[in-house]
Amino acid sequence: AAAAAAAAAAAAATVQLPQIRTDVALEVAPPLALEPPSIGSWLHDTHARKPCAWFCKPQGCANGKECQHCHLCDQGQLRSCRQAVRALEVVAEPLKEQHVAHQSAEQHGLQA
């Protein structure tokens, strides 16, 4: 009985290791670049980035590493950035007109 109890305790203490699949190829990420492709690319992971409109074109960006715009953004990010700017312009236009009218009234000594 003691031998059976010892065998049961040894079996319970055995750690089950996960099975390693050898039939699946592993994808290895490419090494990260130590330096971004352009100055503007430093902001790629922030909402302050500005995608370079020239980088994805056949002639490429003439500014190269000195470009102030992001060379890590793809065409889709450029498109969504432009759409966001247009949406802000639509919202800001009435406010801009109101501000100009207010400044004009102040310059002429009128209360707005």
Side-chain angles (χ1 to χ4, degrees), residues 3-112:
T14 305
V15 176
Q16 292 292 327
L17 296 176
Q19 294 294 320
I20 298 173
R21 292 185 62 181
T22 57
D23 61 331
V24 178
L26 296 176
E27 287 187 30
V28 178
L32 296 174
L34 297 178
E35 190 174 319
S38 68
I39 292 172
S41 297
W42 282 102
L43 299 174
H44 178 73
D45 291 331
T46 70
H47 290 290
R49 70 175 180 264
K50 294 180 182 177
C52 179
W54 293 101
F55 184 69
C56 295
K57 296 190 188 253
Q59 68 269 27
C61 176
N63 296 324
K65 291 179 108 21
E66 298 301 314
C67 183
Q68 299 295 313
H69 297 86
C70 184
H71 286 185
L72 296 173
C73 293
D74 60 19
Q75 284 295 103
Q77 290 170 314
L78 175 62
R79 187 173 297 115
S80 65
C81 217
R82 283 182 177 165
Q83 288 172 348
V85 168
R86 284 189 193 119
L88 285 174
E89 287 172 349
V90 168
V91 171
E93 188 59 35
L95 296 174
K96 192 186 307 182
E97 290 172 3
Q98 183 181 10
H99 179 69
V100 169
H102 180 73
Q103 282 185 329
S104 177
E106 283 182 345
Q107 287 176 351
H108 291 89
L110 302 172
Q111 292 288 342

